[in-house]
Amino acid sequence: MDNFTQYFPAALAIGINLTGYQGMHDPRRSILLYGATQFIAAAIVVPTKRIIRSERPDGSNRLSFPSGHAATAFSSAHFLFREYRSKNFWLSISGYPFAFFTGIYRLVNNKHWVSDVVAGAGVGIFSTEIAYWIYPKMEKMFFSKNKKRRSAVFPTVGKNYIGFSALGNF
């Protein structure tokens, strides 16, 4: 279940937006923002797992800390909150129970320690806040009327790292 519930708040936010009940941004911009939250969360979670190498409670691997499911779930819930908080408070907080469920389910399934889930939740909320903070630059990069702007994001792989690089006149 936790593989699906982590995405439910974002699907709810974008789905409602597509029906015409617009949140803070139109559908294209909200999808861009959600993508940025996931990109930032992954850019924090994946290297941290590889560096810390904390063993899972079930012993299946050493990629326990932080919880990527919790990071995704809480970034999705916080994204829903940020999009609808000024329009419909109850709708805006409706994603958090799904995020909590996802985190608890990771504990029940013996995939994470409590600290993994708490850290993942923090990463998720933080990544959403960062995405909204950098949004004005993304707006210029992707939706500017100035056709002279060019940019690209591409994967970068080296001997001891995997990441993303960006080029452009932002």
Side-chain angles (χ1 to χ4, degrees), residues 35-45 123 126-128 130-132 134:
T37 68
Q38 296 310 296
F39 178 82
I40 294 165
I44 296 169
V45 167
V123 167
F126 177 74
S127 67
T128 303
I130 293 297
Y132 277 82
I134 65 171

Side-chain angles (χ1 to χ4, degrees), residues 35-143:
T37 68
Q38 296 310 296
F39 178 82
I40 294 165
I44 296 169
V45 167
V46 172
T48 304
K49 283 179 176 285
R50 302 279 183 207
I51 292 167
I52 305 259
R53 300 198 37 79
S54 175
E55 188 172 7
R56 291 184 186 274
D58 67 358
S60 62
N61 63 39
R62 299 189 62 83
L63 300 171
S64 185
F65 183 87
S67 169
H69 281 75
T72 299
F74 278 89
S75 67
S76 295
H78 201 58
F79 169 73
L80 175 64
F81 174 74
R82 288 293 305 256
E83 281 298 301
Y84 286 96
R85 68 183 175 181
S86 62
K87 194 159 194 172
N88 185 326
F89 176 75
W90 294 108
L91 172 61
S92 75
I93 64 170
S94 68
Y96 290 111
F98 291 96
F100 284 112
F101 172 83
T102 301
I104 289 170
Y105 209 71
R106 297 303 285 170
L107 298 172
V108 168
N109 283 338
N110 211 28
K111 290 294 184 183
H112 286 289
W113 308 102
V114 171
S115 59
D116 302 339
V117 172
V118 170
V123 167
I125 291 169
F126 177 74
S127 67
T128 303
E129 288 298 317
I130 293 297
Y132 277 82
W133 181 64
I134 65 171
Y135 178 73
K137 288 282 188 192
M138 292 189 307
E139 174 81 22
K140 287 179 186 173
M141 187 174 12
F142 292 103
F143 299 108

